[in-house]
Amino acid sequence: MTPARHVVLVGPMGAGKSRVGALLADRLGLPFVDADDALEAACGRSIAALFAGEGEAVFRDRESLVLRDLLLAPPAVIASGGGVVLRPDNRAVLRAHATVVHLQADVATQLQRLADCRQRPLLQAPDREQRLRQLAEQRDPLYAQVRDLAIQTGGRMPKQVCDALLAALGAPQ
Ligand code: S3P
C-alpha cells in the first residue's frame, strides 16, 4: 500500500517520531523527511542556533514554511517537530493534507529517552520533568485536534510501534 496522502507523525520530543518515521517510510515505500532536518538545511543553521539568535517566534515562522513546502511535495512520511501543532494554521494544513499519527510518550519515557540530549532548546530548563509536563498539558489537546490515530510508544521498540501503525493504517505487514 502506498498512501496517496502524506503521513505526518506528531507528538512530543522523545516520542520516536524520527526513528519510527524512517521505518514506516521504508515499509510504505515512501520517502522519509525529518522536518527539523529540512528546516536546518533550509536556513543553514541548527535549531539551537536559530532559537538562540532569533528566538522561538522566528523558529516557528520557519517551521510553518517548511511544513507547507513539505505538504506541497509528493507524499512522504514526515516526522514533525513537537511544537508544530501550536499554530492554528499548521493544524489546519495538517488536517487538510495528511494522515496524522500521534506518537504518545509519557514524561518518564521522554526523560529516559532524552537523558543525553543537550541540543533541544526547550529542554534547557532547570527542571526538565516540569518543563515536559507543562508542554504536555499545553499540547496534548492540540495533538488530539489534528490526529487520525494515536499510539503509545512507551515500553515499545520503534519496530513494534511501526508494525502497530501499519496494522492501524491497513497496510500489508
Ligand atoms: C520542539 C521539538 C523539536 C524541535 C524544536 C522544538 C518542540 O523537535 O522542533 O527543538 O517545540 O517541542 P522534536 O520533537 O523532533 O524533538
Side-chain angles (χ1 to χ4, degrees):
M1 182 194 88
T2 300
R5 279 158 77 84
H6 300 279
V7 178
V8 179
L9 305 183
V10 300
M13 294 178 270
K17 301 181 295 289
S18 302
R19 293 184 66 187
V20 172
L23 292 174
L24 188 66
D26 193 43
R27 298 281 291 277
L28 291 173
L30 288 175
F32 171 67
V33 188
D34 184 305
D36 286 339
D37 291 348
L39 186 155
E40 289 186 334
C43 61
R45 50 206 302 214
S46 70
I47 288 174
L50 193 61
F51 257 75
E54 299 178 56
E56 182 170 350
V58 170
F59 166 76
R60 296 293 169 204
D61 290 341
R62 299 280 188 139
E63 182 177 52
S64 295
L65 291 173
V66 167
L67 178 67
R68 272 154 193 74
D69 281 351
L70 294 178
L71 291 176
L72 285 173
V77 175
I78 300 167
S80 65
V84 78
V85 292
L86 288 171
R87 292 199 168 173
D89 287 359
N90 291 350
R91 299 199 295 275
V93 291
L94 283 169
R95 278 197 301 263
H97 298 291
T99 297
V100 181
V101 175
H102 179 191
L103 295 190
Q104 300 168 308
D106 55 71
V107 168
T109 298
Q110 288 181 272
L111 285 169
Q112 190 189 6
R113 291 182 183 159
L114 297 166
D116 294 332
C117 173
R118 298 282 165 262
Q119 281 83 46
R120 285 174 175 84
L122 294 180
L123 286 182
Q124 310 305 314
D127 186 338
R128 281 188 165 200
E129 179 173 351
Q130 186 192 37
R131 169 63 56 84
L132 290 172
R133 287 197 192 288
Q134 285 168 345
L135 291 174
E137 198 175 319
Q138 176 192 31
R139 296 173 177 184
D140 282 352
L142 305 178
Y143 295 131
Q145 284 180 26
V146 296
R147 71 188 177 206
D148 294 290
L149 60 106
I151 184 162
Q152 277 292 347
T153 67
R156 289 167 138 174
M157 301 296 289
K159 183 177 179 311
Q160 294 174 297
V161 177
C162 177
D163 287 344
L165 272 177
L166 287 165
L169 292 167
Q173 305 279 305

